[in-house]
Amino acid sequence: MPHISIKMLKGRTEEQKQRAASALADALVSSLGCSRQHVSVTVEDYTPQQWQEVFEQEITKKQDKLYIRPGYDPKDLL
């Protein structure tokens, strides 16, 4: 294990999602020294409206677990 969860706005192709998932898995293997067979990745798509609630729950309320903070206001996506 580790597991990566990618949350993003809708609109990217399956190929783009696969490339991103693969690149992130490779980065974990390289930086953590884990085996690729232990890495899993999910991709979840959201509309800008749906993202408002996800942002609140996943970013605003989990500041203690957030290692990289976004530099944008999610309302700007609406």
Side-chain angles (χ1 to χ4, degrees), residues 19-66:
R19 281 196 318 259
S22 184
L24 288 170
D26 289 342
L28 281 184
V29 169
S30 175
S31 63
L32 299 178
C34 62
S35 170
R36 177 76 184 243
Q37 71 183 25
H38 293 123
V39 177
S40 57
V41 181
T42 58
V43 177
E44 300 173 63
D45 294 315
Y46 296 93
T47 65
Q49 293 79 12
Q50 292 169 322
W51 182 243
Q52 304 305 303
E53 184 176 333
V54 175
F55 189 95
E56 175 70 22
Q57 295 298 317
E58 295 289 322
I59 297 172
T60 303
K61 290 187 177 181
K62 294 185 179 182
Q63 292 290 315
D64 60 326
K65 297 178 183 179
L66 192 62

